[in-house]
Amino acid sequence: VGPSTVQPNDQGLWQASVTGTPPFSYTWWQNGGTILGTDSSVTTSFASSGTLEVVVSDAFNQSARDTKSITVDPAARQCFAL
């Protein structure tokens, strides 16, 4: 969960939502190379459009991968929901 369109270099928060048997392990990548973290959420910025990917494994070593395309648009407006 997180924005798919951001302004250049603005910080964004993305969070993995999972089901299964805990404990869970997380690995996040930005643009296929930089490992961003191992928590259920990650905060990062994009200077140009790219991808954000997370792999989540559960207690039985079952894993799932999700990739999100991020578009950088200087005219993008950030909307926040409470």
Side-chain angles (χ1 to χ4, degrees), residues 40-58:
S40 63
S41 64
V42 65
T43 301
T44 190
S45 62
F46 285 83
S48 59
S49 297
T51 59
L52 189 63
E53 183 175 7
V54 63
V55 174
V56 181
S57 299
D58 69 8

Side-chain angles (χ1 to χ4, degrees), residues 6-7 16 20 42 52 59-60 69 73 82:
V6 297
Q7 292 181 327
V42 65
L52 189 63
F60 297 107
S69 294
D73 181 356
L82 299 177

Side-chain angles (χ1 to χ4, degrees), residues 3-62:
S4 58
T5 302
V6 297
Q7 292 181 327
N9 301 312
D10 274 1
Q11 291 286 315
L13 172 68
W14 288 268
Q15 184 171 351
S17 176
V18 299
T19 60
T21 305
F24 301 107
S25 64
Y26 304 83
T27 305
W28 293 86
W29 290 272
Q30 184 170 348
N31 297 328
T34 304
I35 295 178
L36 299 174
T38 56
D39 294 324
S40 63
S41 64
V42 65
T43 301
T44 190
S45 62
F46 285 83
S48 59
S49 297
T51 59
L52 189 63
E53 183 175 7
V54 63
V55 174
V56 181
S57 299
D58 69 8
F60 297 107
N61 208 25
Q62 298 293 313

